[in-house]
Amino acid sequence: MPRSAARAWSSARTLTDLGELTAQWLEGSLATLAGGAYRGGPDEETGPLVPVLAAMNRAGYVTTQSQPGLDGPAFDGRRWRQRAAVMCLTDTEGLQRLTRTAHDAGLLLAVHRTCSRGPVRDILATTWGGREHTSFGGQVPKGYIRLEYRGCHREAVRAAIDAHQVTLVDPVWGRDTLLWPALTEALAPTR
């Protein structure tokens, strides 16, 4: 990891700090995510989502995974279908806002905390050749969060561990016109 990125991540203390640094990585002004992951920026499919993802990260959320809605051939010719989806970490106020957004827009919602017990709800988000390929919304354990945010100050790691883990998924395969506008509207300042 470049020293400037390592210094930036080690200076983070809060979810707000982690969100700002994640936004900078999405926009290309920070070389890596925490721990040196994803050097060189987000995947190509994420490009059109960068404005809304960066806005989320600057509005009290830390996005950890996302994908656009897609439906078409994969590299091998088999059908590749994705539901638009985003996973993030947030505080209670952010959880309430995203819960309202999911309800109002008709989105699928999964919410966890690292300390919660009970069934873990994964939401199938990608199929490849008719077979399940990727799910969103599973509970992320403490050990994984510590690994993802290695190199960050312990206060930032604790904030990530203590945060609500929230996932929103468009229920319609291939659609990319509901989740992102709903999030953009939810992030707009209230009048």
Side-chain angles (χ1 to χ4, degrees):
M1 175 186 306
R3 286 185 186 155
S4 60
R7 277 193 304 272
W9 287 107
S10 69
S11 70
R13 298 289 192 275
T14 65
L15 276 182
T16 300
D17 295 341
L18 294 174
E20 175 58 35
L21 293 170
T22 302
Q24 290 177 26
W25 173 79
L26 284 161
E27 295 169 334
S29 62
L30 191 61
T32 65
L33 286 175
Y38 297 99
R39 189 178 205 126
D43 292 338
E44 187 178 316
E45 73 175 10
T46 306
L49 308 179
V50 167
V52 70
L53 293 173
M56 281 187 75
N57 281 285
R58 289 190 171 108
Y61 307 94
V62 180
T63 59
T64 58
Q65 188 176 0
S66 62
Q67 70 179 31
L70 297 171
D71 192 347
F75 69 93
D76 62 355
R78 292 187 287 169
R79 187 175 186 189
W80 183 270
R81 296 186 329 147
Q82 290 184 176
R83 291 174 168 162
V86 65
M87 292 176 62
C88 65
L89 305 173
T90 190
D91 60 16
T92 301
E93 182 181 328
L95 167 64
Q96 292 168 348
R97 181 187 286 184
L98 291 180
T99 300
R100 283 190 307 273
T101 299
H103 179 265
D104 293 348
L107 298 165
L108 303 175
L109 174 71
V111 178
H112 302 290
R113 292 196 79 164
T114 56
C115 59
S116 62
R117 298 286 182 252
V120 174
R121 181 177 176 217
D122 281 355
I123 302 170
L124 181 62
T126 308
T127 63
W128 181 15
R131 294 185 177 209
E132 295 182 8
H133 186 67
T134 306
S135 293
F136 275 57
Q139 183 181 31
V140 181
K142 284 183 199 179
Y144 185 81
I145 292 172
R146 284 188 185 109
L147 182 63
E148 268 308 287
Y149 293 101
R150 68 188 178 277
C152 293
H153 190 276
R154 69 178 177 270
E155 290 175 23
V157 175
R158 173 54 50 199
I161 288 170
D162 291 344
H164 297 278
Q165 301 171 13
V166 183
T167 301
L168 298 173
V169 179
D170 188 326
V172 177
W173 292 98
R175 180 169 61 183
D176 208 32
T177 57
L178 177 65
L179 174 61
W180 311 112
L183 288 172
T184 299
E185 184 177 321
L187 298 172
T190 55
R191 297 172 197 205

